[in-house]
Amino acid sequence: MIKKGLRLSSTAGFGIFLALALFALLALLTVVLGAGVYRSVVARAEDSHAVRSSLAYITGKLRSLDEGGEVRIERGGGSDVLALSEEIEGKWYDTRIYVYNGRLYEVFAARGMRFEPEGGQAIAQLDDLRMEMEGGRLIRLEAESGGGACAVRVALER
Amino acid sequence: MRENTRTRAVLIELIVVALFLALSSATLLRLFAAANNLSRRSEATTYGIFAAQDALERMIAGEEVAALEERVSAGRIYEIAAEAIPEKYPAGTLLRCAVHVRCEGAEVAALEVQRYRPERSAQ
């Protein structure tokens, strides 16, 4: 009777161990998978937000430029710099938009002032921004953040 | 006998708990898959809107845009269908532009714009 009770107990112990192991394994799998999915969803959302807001910001700046304004693409601080010039009360001012240290920056200064990339105002997180004039009426903007990149052309109204 | 019954009860309880966890896990896995799909769709919509905007800007700038273009981004193929219908008026031309972007069989973005060009700049 005692022997039978002991045998049953060890089988039950193994069963309990198996059930607990399955329990722990499934719980771990769920947590690991959940964390992976959460990370990828957040990263995708952040990259998408960075690219979308940066391109929308630059597009807005290009659209709001006055009719007499000028658009140029320069090189500075190791990346392309979009320079928007406008005349205010007889004096010319430049708004420069560029990427520096993983961020989109903007600096507004009177024409002729030395351009220092670190002196700008950070707008958004962005890894890279490439710009190119296409035929004088279009400007091509390509923004990159994380693994994602998006390109859009903007028609210049002049 | 009493020991046997108690062990069996514990085992049954554990099996029920494991089953419940398995069901919860299956539900959570479906939830994760849905979240991932939603995120991918959102990414496709973002790209689609930019692709549509790009085509419209080119039309507005007077460039020739193909009726159907294909682009690849993040391993997905986007089909961009663009249509521009000019309507002549005595004082100028009204250009109706529409762009539809499809990805993996579903429309992810659609944009329309109308632009009036007075006669002097309608060319």
Side-chain angles (χ1 to χ4, degrees):
Chain A
M1 190 66 186
I2 292 165
K3 265 189 177 179
K4 197 180 175 190
L6 276 174
R7 202 162 1 117
L8 271 175
S9 221
S10 89
T11 317
F14 184 65
I16 288 168
F17 170 75
L18 262 185
L20 279 175
L22 183 73
F23 193 96
L25 195 74
L26 277 173
L28 188 72
L29 194 75
T30 311
V31 169
V32 168
L33 266 171
V37 169
Y38 177 76
R39 249 201 310 268
S40 85
V41 166
V42 168
R44 223 178 265 160
E46 276 179 358
D47 292 345
S48 182
H49 172 74
V51 167
R52 207 172 49 219
S53 52
S54 300
L55 287 177
Y57 183 79
I58 300 169
T59 306
K61 279 279 175 184
L62 282 165
R63 296 227 196 286
S64 64
L65 192 66
D66 287 343
E67 202 169 318
E70 292 171 7
V71 180
R72 296 187 313 278
I73 294 168
E74 303 169 348
R75 287 286 300 172
S79 74
D80 291 343
V81 177
L82 178 69
L84 310 170
S85 306
E86 55 192 326
E87 196 179 5
I88 302 167
E89 294 174 357
K91 277 186 82 178
W92 280 89
Y93 292 87
D94 292 332
T95 303
R96 288 190 169 86
I97 300 169
Y98 53 94
V99 165
Y100 181 71
N101 272 353
R103 283 182 175 194
L104 181 75
Y105 276 84
E106 179 187 298
V107 64
F108 179 77
R111 182 170 278 182
M113 280 187 74
R114 216 178 116 207
F115 169 57
E116 285 172 1
E118 60 276 8
Q121 172 79 43
I123 306 290
Q125 295 281 340
L126 197 65
D127 290 343
D128 196 16
L129 177 67
R130 290 179 290 277
M131 291 168 274
E132 196 183 344
M133 293 295 284
E134 287 187 0
R137 291 190 72 179
L138 279 172
I139 184 163
R140 186 179 187 276
L141 310 166
E142 187 176 353
E144 194 180 318
S145 180
C150 240
V152 69
R153 290 176 186 85
V154 181
L156 300 173
E157 301 284 331
R158 255 151 312 143
Chain B
M1 191 64 183
R2 190 183 287 172
E3 182 76 20
N4 195 4
T5 314
R6 199 190 298 161
T7 320
R8 223 178 258 171
V10 169
L11 257 178
I12 289 168
E13 190 185 336
L14 273 169
I15 288 166
V16 168
V17 168
L19 271 175
F20 180 73
L21 185 84
L23 279 173
S24 307
S25 297
T27 311
L28 281 174
L29 284 178
R30 283 186 62 188
L31 203 70
F32 295 152
N36 201 36
N37 277 345
L38 206 65
S39 165
R40 278 172 65 85
R41 267 209 334 248
S42 156
E43 192 184 40
T45 304
T46 301
Y47 187 87
I49 287 170
F50 277 122
Q53 188 191 335
D54 183 76
L56 285 177
E57 295 279 352
R58 280 187 291 153
M59 283 177 176
I60 287 167
E63 272 200 7
E64 279 293 316
V65 177
L68 191 67
E69 276 181 12
E70 268 193 8
R71 284 193 201 174
V72 180
S73 174
R76 277 173 287 183
I77 301 169
Y78 294 83
E79 291 171 357
I80 304 148
E83 188 184 27
I85 305 165
E87 286 177 19
K88 292 272 183 196
Y89 289 95
T93 306
L94 181 70
L95 190 67
R96 292 177 193 274
C97 307
V99 179
H100 296 265
V101 183
R102 294 179 70 83
C103 178
E104 292 168 348
E107 185 170 278
V108 291
L111 289 179
E112 282 183 31
V113 72
Q114 294 181 14
R115 192 170 176 85
Y116 186 74
R117 286 183 186 163
E119 201 52 58
R120 62 180 173 83
S121 63
Q123 300 307 308

